[in-house]
Amino acid sequence: MCRWLAYSGTPMLLDTILYKPAHSLIDQSLHSKLGVETTNGDGFGVGWYSPDDPTPALLRDVGPAWNNRNLREMADHVRAPLFFAHIRASTGTAVQQSNCHPFRHGRWMFMHNGAISGFHLMRRDLTLLVDPALYADIEGTTDSEVMFYLALTFGLEQDPPAAVARMAGTVERAGRDHGVEFPLQMTLAITDGESVWAFRYSSAHASRSLFYSSRVDALRRLHPDVAFLQEVSDETRMVVSEPLGDLPGAWHEVPESTYGVVQPGADAMYPFAPAPV
């Protein structure tokens, strides 16, 4: 499987989030505590937004994140208010750049941890459901990218939760058609550059780990001596596969079959279920 991180808030050097925490995403690429694999070395990707361009920039490579000099150099110089970062452990598809997350379409980014069980059985059925106007933009061979383009087909740009619910329902229907009992395992993040939607769901209701950070104002009261908390706004929030450290009160597990929205103003969390198909 994989590990990922979504950051939204005060513009921050990527180094501050990717490298400096005790259990940073770079540390998790070698020493994951909650993932299926301890090592996540089958590629990485970072996507970020700049103030003057609604389309996110991407840096992706097939090597491991822990020794990539380009990633280290970029993280020291890029400051962004919203970024995604992902470290990959392949579930069977090729280790190639086009299979590294995040995936991008226009202003949208998508990243995923999990898998479609039996994807090789239902790949043709699922890809044929992608809007023909979008199909040519699929670059890689992963189940994750097909999930993204199915969600785009089902109206992601208009209603992300409804589109993801239709995508999940479609995958589960395809799984039933091919005799796969529990076809879908996913924690995923989606953003349009302003809001972040994060989902935790699996057909077996035993989903991979996902956590969100506490409100900054509450953490300041708990830990007035932590400098980082004085530097960021109350709007700053992270969603992560694993906590980045052990600061008491800093992290909360996303409940099973739930999605949340990180957005300007009050964030929100709701039950999630696939839409019947």
Side-chain angles (χ1 to χ4, degrees):
M1 299 293 175
C2 310
R3 305 279 83 184
W4 59 256
L5 173 155
Y7 173 90
S8 176
T10 297
M12 188 68 58
L13 276 176
L14 272 60
D15 165 77
T16 306
I17 307 299
L18 294 183
Y19 284 90
K20 288 185 177 179
H23 190 48
S24 69
L25 199 67
I26 304 304
D27 180 66
Q28 291 175 37
S29 65
L30 278 169
H31 307 295
S32 172
K33 298 176 182 179
L34 301 178
V36 176
E37 299 89 2
T38 302
T39 303
N40 297 270
D42 294 330
F44 70 88
V46 181
W48 68 95
Y49 294 85
S50 59
D52 54 352
D53 192 341
T55 302
L58 291 183
L59 172 66
R60 302 188 295 178
D61 205 349
V62 297
W66 64 78
N67 67 354
N68 189 280
R69 294 181 65 183
N70 289 332
L71 177 62
R72 174 73 268 187
E73 180 77 11
M74 181 273 292
D76 283 336
H77 291 85
V78 170
R79 187 182 302 272
L82 196 160
F83 62 87
F84 280 6
H86 186 281
I87 50 176
R88 184 171 184 242
S90 173
T91 56
T93 50
V95 178
Q96 61 192 44
Q97 192 176 89
S98 58
N99 284 346
C100 294
H101 309 222
F103 301 104
R104 175 182 62 191
H105 181 78
R107 73 181 191 277
W108 292 84
M109 282 199 298
F110 175 104
M111 60 184 175
H112 169 231
N113 173 38
I116 297 176
S117 298
F119 180 59
H120 64 290
L121 300 173
M122 61 187 90
R123 179 179 175 182
R124 181 177 182 276
D125 293 350
L126 293 175
T127 54
L128 286 176
L129 295 174
V130 173
D131 186 332
L134 296 168
Y135 184 85
D137 293 333
I138 298 175
E139 296 182 344
T141 60
T142 63
D143 49 359
S144 302
E145 192 175 15
V146 171
M147 290 167 63
F148 180 31
Y149 277 85
L150 283 171
L152 286 164
T153 298
F154 297 146
L156 178 69
E157 295 178 299
Q158 291 75 44
D159 189 339
V164 172
R166 286 190 65 192
M167 176 273 289
T170 298
V171 170
E172 293 197 327
R173 184 192 66 184
R176 291 193 298 270
D177 291 346
H178 288 274
V180 180
E181 184 178 7
F182 300 121
L184 185 57
Q185 172 71 247
M186 69 177 199
T187 65
L188 59 85
I190 301 167
T191 183
D192 60 357
E194 296 182 4
S195 300
V196 176
W197 292 264
F199 299 78
R200 185 181 185 215
Y201 175 79
S202 62
S203 304
H205 302 294
S207 300
R208 303 295 181 234
S209 58
L210 192 64
F211 296 81
Y212 64 95
S213 61
S214 297
R215 288 176 54 92
V216 171
D217 55 351
L219 284 174
R220 285 198 199 100
R221 291 193 292 271
L222 285 172
H223 306 285
D225 56 335
V226 176
F228 174 80
L229 298 175
Q230 310 306 318
E231 299 169 0
V232 296
S233 71
D234 289 353
E235 294 278 352
T236 298
R237 187 66 64 93
M238 283 182 275
V239 185
V240 299
S241 294
E242 297 186 18
L244 305 186
D246 55 5
L247 187 69
W251 301 100
H252 307 276
E253 187 172 18
V254 175
E256 177 68 46
S257 300
T258 298
Y259 79 91
V261 188
V262 178
Q263 59 195 350
D267 300 331
M269 194 171 290
Y270 306 96
F272 176 81
V277 175

